[in-house]
Structures are given as structure tokens and as C-alpha cells.
């Protein structure tokens, strides 16, 4: 039961690690001395092919292996806390997000969009604090307005983060230098969107796991880039939360499926 959830979570993590390694090779061999991307570079093609293969693997896993996820759609069941270790990991992710968001917010004086950056940093602080409260013990979980707000705040943060990052990078002429960064934030946004959907009665379990896996992959992948320290910490936090959420959803869905069959 837990073995499958752990195995699939490790698959997501290892896929991200290999992506991180390929991005490192691309940064070494995919750009010329002037910092411009080399058209048709073999390593850049490899990165694209690998990323497509990883996303296809995630899709096939959710499409054919995790069909029983639909058995667990209530948030009190899907996000029931399986162990105290999970809570500790989420609090660690919250700590990374808190520090990263504070740095992001207080470094806004050097940004071309200080107001957007301050809002994003403030939302990031609250988003990080929400991570541990999304997963609760089943008998302590409240499916009410407070739970809905807890799920919405990380989504709002991701939306502001995407807009802010895109506006900052909009004038960068080198697509390969910022595209992974933007794709990673989009993946985080979609993952948090489908997590929030549970709390509004619109759960799509398989789709949620797919985007959580994608968020963890892109989040780890883009850590190889020369990001500001604030965003590095924020990506670490979001990747860790995405890995934990997918583990919890798969684990609880399998428990529900086994109980139904028993």
C-alpha cells in the first residue's frame, strides 16, 4: 500500500534529479561565450526530449496505473495525515518558503516591479504556513471555509509569482535562460490549483497527481539555474510540498481502494 505511493514519489524525485543534471550539462555546453543559446545544440534537444518523456511517463502512470484514485475525493480522506514525519517535512518546507519569501519581499527595492514582488513575498509567507495545515489527521480536519482559504492561499501566491517573474524576465531575449523558470512556476500553479479543487468539491485525483509530479520535476530541474537565493528556497519548498502531497494522495487512495475491496 505505502510501497506504491513511496515508489511513485521516488520516481518523481529521481526524474527531477536527472533533469537537474541535464540542465547542468546544458548550461555548460548549450550556450556560447556571449551567453546566447546555441541553435540545435544536442544537449538542448536532449533536455526537451527527456522532459517530454518524463511528462509522458507521469501521464501513463496516472492514466493506467492510478485509476483507483477516484475512490478518494473528499479532502478529509485524500489529505489525511499518514504519519508525523509527513508533518515535519511540510513544516520544513514551510520554513524554506518563509525564509525565501522574506528575502524576496525585502529585496524588492532592487526590482523593477517592487510592489508585485512585495505582494508575492507576503503571499509566499502565508502559502508556506498553509502547507502543514492542508494535511491533517482525519478526525481533526474541517471541510469548511478555513480549509478552503488554506488551500486557496498557495494558489494565489503562485499566480502572483508567475506574473511577477514573467514581467521581470519579459525583456530577456534568451528563451532558454528563463523558460524553465517560468515553466516551473506554471507547474506549481497548476499543482496548487488541483489541490485547491479538492476543497471545493471539484477533485480530479489523477490529474492532481500528474501536476504535482510535474511541479516537483520542474522545481528540481530549475534549481540548476542561477536563480536569486529567494526563489531557490521557494522552489525547494514547493517541490518538497508537491512530493509530499502526491505521496499522501496516492497512499490514502490506495488505502480507500483496499478497504472497499476488503
Amino acid at each position: 500500500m505505502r510501497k506504491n505511493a513511496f515508489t511513485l514519489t521516488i520516481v518523481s524525485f529521481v526524474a527531477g534529479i536527472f533533469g537537474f543534471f541535464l540542465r547542468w550539462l546544458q548550461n555548460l555546453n548549450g550556450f556560447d561565450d556571449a551567453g546566447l543559446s546555441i541553435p540545435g545544440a544536442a544537449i538542448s534537444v536532449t533536455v526537451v526530449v527527456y522532459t517530454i518523456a518524463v511528462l509522458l511517463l507521469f501521464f501513463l502512470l496516472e492514466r493506467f496505473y492510478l485509476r483507483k484514485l477516484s475512490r478518494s475525493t473528499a479532502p478529509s480522506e485524500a489529505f489525511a495525515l499518514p504519519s508525523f514525519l509527513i508533518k515535519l517535512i511540510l513544516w520544513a518546507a514551510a520554513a524554506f518558503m518563509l525564509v525565501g519569501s522574506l528575502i524576496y519581499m525585502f529585496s524588492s527595492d532592487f526590482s523593477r516591479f517592487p510592489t508585485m514582488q512585495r505582494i508575492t513575498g507576503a503571499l509566499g509567507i502565508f502559502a508556506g504556513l498553509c502547507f502543514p495545515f492542508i494535511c491533517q489527521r482525519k478526525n481533526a480536519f474541517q471541510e469548511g471555509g478555513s480549509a478552503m482559504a488554506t488551500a486557496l492561499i498557495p494558489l494565489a501566491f503562485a499566480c502572483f509569482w508567475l506574473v511577477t517573474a514573467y514581467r521581470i524576465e519579459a525583456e530577456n531575449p534568451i528563451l532558454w535562460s528563463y523558460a524553465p523558470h517560468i515553466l516551473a512556476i506554471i507547474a506549481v500553479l497548476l499543482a496548487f490549483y488541483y489541490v485547491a479543487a479538492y476543497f471545493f468539491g471539484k477533485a480530479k485525483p489523477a490529474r492532481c497527481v500528474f501536476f504535482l509530479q510535474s511541479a516537483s520535476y520542474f522545481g528540481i530541474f530549475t534549481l540548476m539555474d542561477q536563480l536569486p537565493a529567494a526563489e531557490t528556497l521557494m522552489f525547494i519548498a514547493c517541490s518538497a510540498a508537491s512530493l509530499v502531497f502526491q505521496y499522501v494522495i496516492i497512499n490514502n487512495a490506495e488505502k480507500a481502494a483496499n478497504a472497499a475491496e476488503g
Side-chain angles (χ1 to χ4, degrees):
M1 188 161 50
R2 290 186 177 179
K3 184 185 294 185
N4 291 334
F6 181 75
T7 299
L8 292 176
T9 304
I10 289 298
V11 166
S12 302
F13 178 73
V14 172
I17 293 297
F18 273 103
F20 177 91
F21 175 70
L22 287 176
R23 181 61 171 168
W24 173 67
L25 290 177
Q26 185 186 25
N27 287 339
L28 288 178
N29 303 301
F31 298 88
D32 59 24
D33 294 337
L36 300 175
S37 58
I38 301 172
I43 185 60
S44 297
V45 175
T46 302
V47 168
V48 172
V49 171
Y50 175 76
T51 298
I52 293 173
V54 166
L55 295 178
L56 180 60
L57 172 63
F58 292 162
F59 173 79
L60 292 175
L61 286 173
E62 271 67 79
R63 180 66 180 83
F64 298 105
Y65 186 70
L66 296 174
R67 289 175 294 177
K68 293 181 180 180
L69 282 177
S70 59
R71 293 180 181 269
S72 182
T73 57
S76 58
E77 297 177 356
F79 293 97
L81 190 66
S83 70
F84 186 68
L85 177 61
I86 295 297
K87 198 75 166 182
L88 289 178
I89 296 173
L90 288 174
W91 274 112
F96 274 93
M97 180 63 81
L98 175 63
V99 175
S101 297
L102 284 171
I103 297 172
Y104 195 75
M105 186 165 56
F106 286 109
S107 63
S108 60
D109 291 340
F110 305 98
S111 171
R112 291 183 292 118
F113 306 100
T115 302
M116 286 294 298
Q117 195 162 319
R118 290 188 190 105
I119 294 173
T120 302
L123 286 172
I125 293 171
F126 290 106
L129 293 174
C130 288
F131 290 163
F133 294 100
I134 289 177
C135 295
Q136 297 281 351
R137 295 193 180 280
K138 188 173 179 179
N139 59 4
F141 201 93
Q142 297 180 355
E143 297 182 20
S146 59
M148 293 165 70
T150 299
L152 274 179
I153 291 173
L155 176 59
F157 155 73
C159 290
F160 273 88
W161 189 14
L162 176 61
V163 174
T164 304
Y166 182 77
R167 293 189 71 183
I168 292 172
E169 298 282 7
E171 296 180 1
N172 189 339
I174 307 173
L175 181 63
W176 262 118
S177 68
Y178 71 88
H181 178 199
I182 299 300
L183 286 174
I185 300 176
I186 292 173
V188 168
L189 190 158
L190 290 170
F192 289 161
Y193 171 81
Y194 281 102
V195 168
Y198 274 90
F199 297 85
F200 291 85
K202 304 291 183 181
K204 304 283 186 183
R207 199 173 298 178
C208 182
V209 171
F210 171 81
F211 284 112
L212 285 168
Q213 289 181 309
S214 300
S216 61
Y217 167 73
F218 281 110
I220 296 170
F221 176 95
T222 202
L223 290 175
M224 189 62 249
D225 291 350
Q226 294 181 345
L227 298 172
E231 290 196 280
T232 297
L233 292 172
M234 289 155 68
F235 274 124
I236 291 173
C238 290
S239 297
S242 296
L243 288 168
V244 168
F245 291 154
Q246 66 184 265
Y247 171 82
V248 170
I249 290 172
I250 296 170
N251 180 67
N252 289 330
E254 290 182 330
K255 287 171 64 176
N258 291 339
E261 292 172 0

